[in-house]
Amino acid sequence: VVGLLIELILIIELMFTTKQKKKFILINGGVCMNEDLKKEIQREILRQINLPNFHQNELKDIMIDFDEVLEVVMNKILANAEHPDKIVFMPFNEPDHANWYGYGNNTGAKNYAQFLKDWNEAYGVIQKVWNQYKNGEKTNANGVKPTADHALIAGPGDSSWRPNTTKKLLETGKANNTLPDVVVWHELGSGSIGSYPGHYKQYRSFEKELGISPRAINISEFGQMRDMSVPGQIIQWLSL
């Protein structure tokens, strides 16, 4: 684990993607974040889209640009963070699923090219806001400025190991200077304990093939209910 992983998309859950706009609803999400800050972020999003009286469940039919909302969330986090350099920002969670882009492991899927475009744009928004606090253009409530060269970003966050699309993201990220600092996917299948080592080796082979320095890996969701309740199962995960 590198720093404090914040899944930004748990604040704003994307329902589907079009070429220019993304549809979302607000949910009670976000990890490693103060409850008051979560509520403040949600109120700020409502205020900026001029819908202060809408209940969050009524937002399902509102079309808002995801990057605009992402910028609101980033500002709220960095304006209140005590240790910004320790935060790893994760803009997407399970983008391979149908409620996002639904590309699975297919780089030729209809929405995969859009995901790559959205990844690059989200990366740029995060770095833009980061630099605004780093250079003093915007201020932090604790008088703290980021000092790292850039904001740490994690992804893609797929629901399972997706070798084809993961490799393509690395290729695109290298070409556009938008590589994730922490590579994230989930291992939730019944055979994941046995298959993860092979997935790990395959991922590392992609880095070597593409000339990319080793990234940190974070399996942010793993195991099944049976694993979480049985010491003999969970210890296998902890040993990996």
Side-chain angles (χ1 to χ4, degrees):
V1 178
V2 176
L4 175 65
L5 183 66
I6 290 184
E7 294 189 8
L8 300 179
I9 199 52
L10 291 179
I11 304 297
I12 39 179
E13 181 74 9
L14 191 64
M15 299 306 291
F16 68 83
T17 303
T18 63
K19 274 192 173 182
Q20 296 178 330
K21 295 289 182 181
K22 294 87 174 177
K23 186 177 181 181
F24 75 94
I25 59 173
L26 297 179
I27 62 173
N28 292 317
V31 294
C32 301
M33 192 180 295
N34 180 280
E35 285 296 328
D36 291 337
L37 181 55
K38 291 180 192 177
K39 293 177 182 178
E40 185 179 350
I41 288 172
Q42 292 178 341
R43 286 195 298 268
E44 182 67 11
I45 292 171
L46 289 170
R47 187 187 69 78
Q48 292 208 18
I49 62 177
N50 297 316
L51 292 170
N53 298 318
F54 270 55
H55 185 274
Q56 61 184 35
N57 294 331
E58 296 179 47
L59 288 176
K60 59 187 179 181
D61 295 320
I62 303 300
M63 298 290 285
I64 303 294
D65 190 296
F66 175 62
D67 291 340
E68 294 179 11
V69 180
L70 180 59
E71 188 164 348
V72 173
V73 175
M74 285 295 301
N75 272 292
K76 283 298 177 182
I77 292 172
L78 290 178
N80 293 277
E82 295 182 0
H83 305 284
D85 289 343
K86 293 184 178 181
I87 298 175
V88 182
F89 300 97
M90 184 173 165
F92 299 96
N93 183 57
E94 298 194 347
D96 56 320
H97 261 197
N99 62 324
W100 274 78
Y101 301 87
Y103 54 72
N105 190 36
N106 182 8
T107 58
K110 180 180 179 180
N111 285 331
Y112 187 65
Q114 183 64 41
F115 167 70
L116 292 177
K117 180 177 182 291
D118 291 347
W119 169 270
N120 288 337
E121 290 180 354
Y123 191 102
V125 169
I126 293 171
Q127 301 303 339
K128 180 187 77 172
V129 178
W130 177 269
N131 287 324
Q132 287 171 342
Y133 285 89
K134 182 178 179 179
N135 63 28
E137 181 180 344
K138 294 182 178 179
T139 58
N140 173 284
N142 303 299
V144 178
K145 288 184 179 182
T147 62
D149 291 339
H150 67 282
L152 298 177
I153 297 181
D158 287 333
S159 62
S160 63
W161 172 237
R162 306 291 196 184
N164 295 341
T165 54
T166 298
K167 185 178 182 181
K168 185 65 175 179
L169 177 63
L170 292 177
E171 293 172 345
T172 303
K174 182 179 180 180
N176 292 278
N177 196 29
T178 57
L179 281 169
D181 301 281
V182 182
V183 174
V184 176
W185 71 87
H186 300 162
E187 292 281 358
L188 300 170
S190 59
S192 290
I193 291 177
S195 59
Y196 170 69
H199 299 163
Y200 173 88
K201 290 179 181 177
Q202 187 176 25
Y203 170 75
R204 290 301 187 202
S205 73
F206 293 161
E207 290 178 328
K208 290 181 180 179
E209 178 184 343
L210 298 172
I212 295 171
S213 60
R215 315 276 104 177
I217 294 175
N218 189 314
I219 306 302
S220 59
E221 296 182 27
F222 61 89
Q224 296 184 317
M225 292 297 290
R226 64 174 191 184
D227 301 322
M228 301 301 108
S229 59
V230 180
Q233 288 288 109
I234 196 65
I235 194 65
Q236 296 180 68
W237 282 107
L238 296 177
S239 69
L240 291 176

